[in-house]
Amino acid sequence: MATNVPLLDNDDTLEFGAEDEPQGRFRHPLVTMFHVGFRLAAMVTYLLCGWFNVSFIGSFVTVVLLLSMDFWTVKNITGRIMVGLRWWNYIDEDGKSHWVFESKKRGACQARR
């Protein structure tokens, strides 16, 4: 039985791996900056909050928000542009959860239950 995978049937999306490949020291300097920036900001915030007598709750929320932004960036942007990986989860009509993994090098979509 063939499974219809959502998000792969759209014709209006850019072909996976068809992004421009800029040349230079870093291939994607803006992506690299955000990849390192959120992690560095979370570590600096964690280390410096004790010096400035910021409440535990305020520092905890700030660090969790920065790490959440880091996770989102790594999953959706860094993984796709810099590494060539993309993944997501969807629920079919029967209520089963399906994980879909894509790799730029192989070009094939793999589904795992």
Side-chain angles (χ1 to χ4, degrees):
M1 171 170 66
T3 305
N4 185 15
V5 179
L7 300 176
L8 289 180
D9 298 333
N10 296 342
D11 293 334
D12 59 346
T13 59
L14 182 66
E15 188 66 32
F16 187 53
E19 297 91 2
D20 294 334
E21 294 291 333
Q23 301 298 322
R25 183 169 180 185
F26 293 107
R27 289 188 174 213
H28 305 285
L30 188 63
V31 175
T32 304
M33 182 187 72
F34 279 106
H35 180 77
V36 173
F38 287 130
R39 292 173 188 214
L40 188 63
M43 285 189 284
V44 168
T45 301
Y46 176 74
L47 293 173
L48 295 180
C49 278
W51 288 6
F52 297 110
N53 293 330
V54 177
S55 70
F56 173 76
I57 294 173
S59 63
F60 181 80
V61 169
T62 304
V63 169
V64 167
L65 287 175
L66 287 168
L67 291 175
S68 298
M69 289 186 278
D70 172 60
F71 174 77
W72 183 88
T73 303
V74 168
K75 180 194 176 299
N76 294 312
I77 297 172
T78 306
R80 182 177 55 87
I81 293 176
M82 294 178 78
V83 182
L85 299 174
R86 186 165 59 172
W87 55 274
W88 65 88
N89 181 2
Y90 76 96
I91 310 294
D92 64 5
E93 294 84 20
D94 298 331
K96 292 182 181 177
S97 177
H98 298 276
W99 285 94
V100 179
F101 300 92
E102 283 186 340
S103 173
K104 185 190 297 187
K105 294 183 183 186
R106 287 186 268 184
C109 176
Q110 301 174 357
R112 184 173 80 178
R113 292 179 197 165

